[in-house]
Amino acid sequence: ALLAAFSASTCAWWLMIQFILLQNRQGKTRLSKYYRTYTDDEKIKIEAEIHRIVTTRDQKFTNFVEFKQYKLIYRRYAGLFFTLCVDVNDNELVYFESIHLFVELLDQFFGNVCELDLVFNFNKVYMILDEFFLAGEVQETSKQTILHRVQDLDKLE
């Protein structure tokens, strides 16, 4: 049992979120958080390819798309696409709902969040993201706890 737990924990680095992207309809990336190393050129190619995939996909299809050896999970809110790249064996619905919780957190923090809030307050958006996700895994799911921590950190600025 100890050996099984050890081998599971040593292989767990790939069972996580690979990256998070927020892109508008025009393809401009408003937020990106990578949990594994990519070169700048790779990031540019990935972001362009993901934008092409999620914006051209018919709305009648599911919001889960296979992408290389991973899976993309995305949601559209107004003109923004929130995309998570996760392992193919991860639970899609958990991450699908995580996107919604992240949007609710942004909405409550900024009060009816819009794209300009993300652009001009990117440091606060990353602060919220880091309280929610840590090292590519969900850290906290309580909306009140996350907002309380972020508001405490915001007071320090």
Side-chain angles (χ1 to χ4, degrees):
L2 181 60
L3 181 61
F6 176 75
S7 58
S9 66
T10 57
C11 296
W13 65 268
W14 54 271
L15 290 173
M16 63 178 210
I17 299 169
Q18 301 300 311
F19 54 82
I20 298 170
L21 296 176
L22 269 69
Q23 298 175 307
N24 65 15
R25 280 183 279 201
Q26 291 75 33
K28 187 81 172 163
T29 300
R30 295 304 186 187
L31 174 122
S32 63
K33 181 82 170 191
Y34 291 87
Y35 295 105
R36 56 175 291 244
T37 307
Y38 293 98
T39 66
D40 289 341
D41 288 339
E42 287 174 322
K43 289 178 183 178
I44 291 169
K45 287 178 186 173
I46 286 170
E47 291 173 15
E49 189 174 352
I50 288 174
H51 177 262
R52 184 187 54 75
I53 290 169
V54 299
T55 57
T56 60
R57 191 162 164 88
D58 195 332
Q59 289 184 351
K60 68 181 176 187
F61 294 133
T62 173
N63 291 32
F64 314 129
V65 183
E66 287 190 17
F67 176 73
K68 301 181 181 181
Q69 71 267 30
Y70 302 109
K71 188 180 335 180
L72 297 177
I73 298 156
Y74 69 94
R75 286 183 96 149
R76 180 179 174 185
Y77 290 90
L80 289 174
F81 291 90
F82 292 72
T83 308
L84 298 178
C85 179
V86 300
D87 181 67
V88 292
N89 297 320
D90 280 349
N91 186 333
E92 300 98 350
L93 295 177
V94 167
Y95 292 111
F96 192 67
E97 285 303 311
S98 294
I99 294 171
H100 186 68
L101 179 59
F102 182 59
V103 171
E104 287 180 340
L105 287 165
L106 293 173
D107 204 42
Q108 280 193 334
F109 185 80
F110 291 108
N112 201 11
V113 69
C114 68
E115 187 174 348
L116 289 177
D117 291 322
L118 304 178
V119 172
F120 293 117
N121 299 295
F122 66 91
N123 57 333
K124 293 178 183 181
V125 176
Y126 278 106
M127 193 167 48
I128 294 168
L129 184 68
D130 290 340
E131 287 297 325
F132 187 26
F133 296 111
L134 178 67
E137 297 180 4
V138 175
Q139 171 181 266
E140 179 64 62
T141 57
S142 168
K143 199 182 323 179
Q144 289 75 24
T145 301
I146 295 169
L147 286 172
H148 181 69
R149 287 180 190 162
V150 170
Q151 288 163 348
D152 286 347
L153 289 169
D154 196 36
K155 289 177 189 174
L156 297 175
E157 289 185 359

